[in-house]
Amino acid sequence: MTRRFETTDIYEDLRIKLTTAYFEPGSKLKPSELQARYGRSANTVREVLFRLSTVGLVLFEDQRGFRTPPSETQRQNDLTSFRITLEQEGATQSMRNGGLEWEARLTAAHHKLSHIETRIAKSDDITEALNPWCAAEWGFHETLVSASDSPLLRSTFKAIYDQFRQQLVTKERNYGYFSNNVAEHARIVECALAADADDLRQAIYDHLSRNLLVRQAGVKSSAI
């Protein structure tokens, strides 16, 4: 018997699939085909796809229906630039506001992510750890900005992060895995715990700037 998913479960399952290369870029998403997976009507699936379109993970056009965004270099650049700005500001605010409790959560999130990435580095097949890795990646970066005093920044960061990962996590890009991630994440934590705002901004920029069309020298930072 097919499990009957609640709409929140359908949303989360599709969000994960859309950000972990389950669907090819630019592919059609047909509610009539997806409904069997979730045990709900095509209209229910269509409503969820509409919700996903409001956060940029799905495109909708009249007469053409739903599809995943294409993989585009310029879009990747724009999302990277915006993510850097949001993450630098959110992390700096969190560093100033979060205190010992935030430092402990950040350290724990990094420990989990580092463990998974170290295991990936020893394996020839990233797909076995793809979902746990992507979840731990989000857990680390979400924790990094979680003590920001701007709810708007945090919610915007979530939307941009997901769109960024959707562009980055593809089979052609080895699902977004990069062998130097472990060292770069460790550097971010080191700067955050040292309460050095300039170095923290630089570490975040260094971690993400390989995805820009033109990598600039020096600290890339700006206030929101």
Side-chain angles (χ1 to χ4, degrees), residues 14 23 29-39 45 49:
L14 281 173
F23 301 106
L29 300 170
K30 297 181 179 180
S32 59
E33 295 178 356
L34 292 170
Q35 70 176 110
R37 177 192 305 274
Y38 300 113
V45 176
L49 289 172

Side-chain angles (χ1 to χ4, degrees), residues 183-199:
E184 291 177 0
H185 286 139
R187 177 60 179 161
I188 290 172
V189 174
E190 177 186 345
C191 296
L193 297 183
D196 190 319
D198 287 341
D199 280 357

Side-chain angles (χ1 to χ4, degrees), residues 31-181:
S32 59
E33 295 178 356
L34 292 170
Q35 70 176 110
R37 177 192 305 274
Y38 300 113
R40 299 299 295 268
S41 68
N43 282 338
T44 297
V45 176
R46 186 176 293 107
E47 290 173 4
V48 173
L49 289 172
F50 269 122
R51 285 179 56 200
L52 288 162
S53 73
T54 67
V55 293
L57 294 178
V58 170
L59 300 179
F60 174 76
E61 295 181 45
D62 287 331
Q63 310 302 321
R64 297 187 61 186
F66 301 97
R67 60 187 176 89
T68 60
S71 180
E72 298 174 335
T73 303
Q74 184 60 54
R75 178 173 174 78
Q76 177 69 55
N77 180 80
D78 292 347
L79 288 167
T80 301
S81 180
F82 196 19
R83 179 184 165 182
I84 289 171
T85 300
L86 291 170
E87 192 158 344
Q88 286 177 328
E89 186 65 18
T92 302
Q93 290 179 12
S94 293
M95 183 191 70
R96 292 168 178 163
N97 301 335
L100 185 60
E101 195 275 337
W102 173 76
E103 292 178 359
R105 289 192 293 109
L106 181 63
T107 302
H110 175 250
H111 178 76
K112 180 177 181 179
L113 176 58
S114 179
H115 174 73
I116 294 173
E117 289 184 327
T118 300
R119 290 286 295 271
I120 291 173
K122 297 177 181 178
S123 172
D124 292 329
D125 185 8
I126 190 176
T127 59
E128 294 181 0
L130 182 58
N131 284 350
W133 173 57
C134 287
E137 255 276 329
W138 164 245
F140 173 75
H141 290 282
E142 188 275 333
T143 302
L144 189 61
V145 305
S146 63
S148 164
D149 50 17
S150 171
L152 180 58
L153 184 150
R154 296 195 304 271
S155 62
T156 303
F157 177 72
K158 169 61 173 170
I160 295 302
Y161 178 92
D162 277 350
Q163 292 180 55
F164 171 89
R165 294 291 291 180
Q166 185 179 44
Q167 289 284 313
L168 183 71
V169 180
T170 63
K171 296 175 184 177
E172 293 74 21
R173 294 187 174 122
N174 194 30
Y175 298 94
Y177 176 74
F178 183 70
S179 60
N180 205 40
N181 275 344

